[in-house]
Amino acid sequence: VAHWPLPPAPISAAILCAAVTSLERCRLDPESSRQVNVAGTTALARRLIEAGAFVVFISTNLVFDGETPFAKPTDAFNPRTEYGRQKAEAEAQLLAWEEQIAIVRFSKVLSPDMPLFQSWIRDLKAGKVIHPFSDMVMAPVSLAFAVNVLLEVTERRVPGIFHVSAMRDVSYAAAAQHIARKLGADMELVQPTSYRESGVGFAPLNTSLDSSRLVDLGLRAPDARDAFDE
């Protein structure tokens, strides 16, 4: 990182988006993923801040254990995954810069081309049964909403921690049912199952975040259905 050339023009602000976000990859290769998510990220942030930039760091609800809903920005870290631990470690270092750093923790960001949803749509249209998890939850926001939050924080140069999630958690099964209704598909095609039977690793009981500080940006937590509809 010390040898990376920064742009010659003055840098007003930077959003740090690069990361190893796969929970499985972080679990299997903690050393290499930590080089990206902690060492490289904080070193780059330091260089940018020393150059006069305001830095926005993208983080995650997984810095918490998910035992309680609507985690607050001031709640203590208690990650249950290697990815969450790395993000928490990076946050702790970055917050030392106080007025020159903003941390934006997202629950889940949904893009229109999300493979899981695309496979559901494809199967439902073909009359095939899908098996969404009834006991795995999310509090998603759309990609467009996430980008809007990042732009507002960056342009206003507002430091501190922001939480961004939907107003409440919903199950993956509820998401699939909503999408099936939108498609006019046979609701009997949505047959929920348990993630515990699938071999999936850790799944928090709650992913919702206390997003009340969004009002400082003229925004508010959206309904989860807004993300599904997009």
Side-chain angles (χ1 to χ4, degrees), residues 3-4 19 31 58 60 70 80 91 107 120 125 134 136 149 152 178 180 184 198 205-206:
H3 304 294
W4 291 352
E31 291 305 317
I58 297 176
T60 172
F70 306 111
R80 298 279 301 279
E91 281 193 29
S107 52
W120 285 352
K125 285 182 174 180
S134 60
M136 181 181 286
V149 170
E152 290 293 332
H178 179 79
S198 69
L205 296 175
N206 303 277

Side-chain angles (χ1 to χ4, degrees), residues 15 53-54 60 85 100 125 167 170 177:
I15 303 173
F54 178 78
T60 172
R85 283 189 288 273
Q100 290 173 277
K125 285 182 174 180
M167 290 187 292
V170 296
Q177 290 163 349

Side-chain angles (χ1 to χ4, degrees), residues 11 13 16 36 58 75 77 102 155 157 162 166 174 184 227:
I11 303 168
L16 302 183
V36 176
I58 297 176
D75 287 350
F77 295 137
E155 291 175 351
R157 299 171 68 94
F162 286 87

Side-chain angles (χ1 to χ4, degrees), residues 1 11 24 36 45-46 68 84 91 108 123 172 216-217 229:
V1 176
I11 303 168
E24 186 68 359
V36 176
R46 181 182 297 107
T68 57
E91 281 193 29
K108 190 172 189 64
D123 287 347
Y172 278 70
D216 295 346
L217 307 175
D229 290 346

Side-chain angles (χ1 to χ4, degrees), residues 135-197:
D135 51 357
M136 181 181 286
V137 300
M138 56 178 157
V141 297
S142 70
L143 179 60
F145 186 85
V147 169
N148 192 27
V149 170
L150 292 172
L151 286 174
E152 290 293 332
V153 172
T154 305
E155 291 175 351
R156 299 179 189 224
R157 299 171 68 94
V158 187
I161 300 172
F162 286 87
H163 278 181
V164 186
S165 82
M167 290 187 292
R168 61 184 177 87
D169 278 304
V170 296
S171 69
Y172 278 70
Q177 290 163 349
H178 179 79
I179 291 171
R181 280 192 293 270
K182 283 284 184 175
L183 294 173
D186 182 355
M187 298 301 292
E188 294 298 320
L189 295 174
V190 181
Q191 297 181 15
T193 187
S194 170
Y195 83 89
R196 293 177 176 85
E197 301 169 359

Side-chain angles (χ1 to χ4, degrees), residues 13 25 44 67 91 99-100 102 105 114 163 167-168 204:
R25 184 174 168 190
L44 179 57
E67 290 297 316
E91 281 193 29
E99 296 302 312
Q100 290 173 277
R105 295 175 184 151
M114 183 177 175
H163 278 181
M167 290 187 292
R168 61 184 177 87

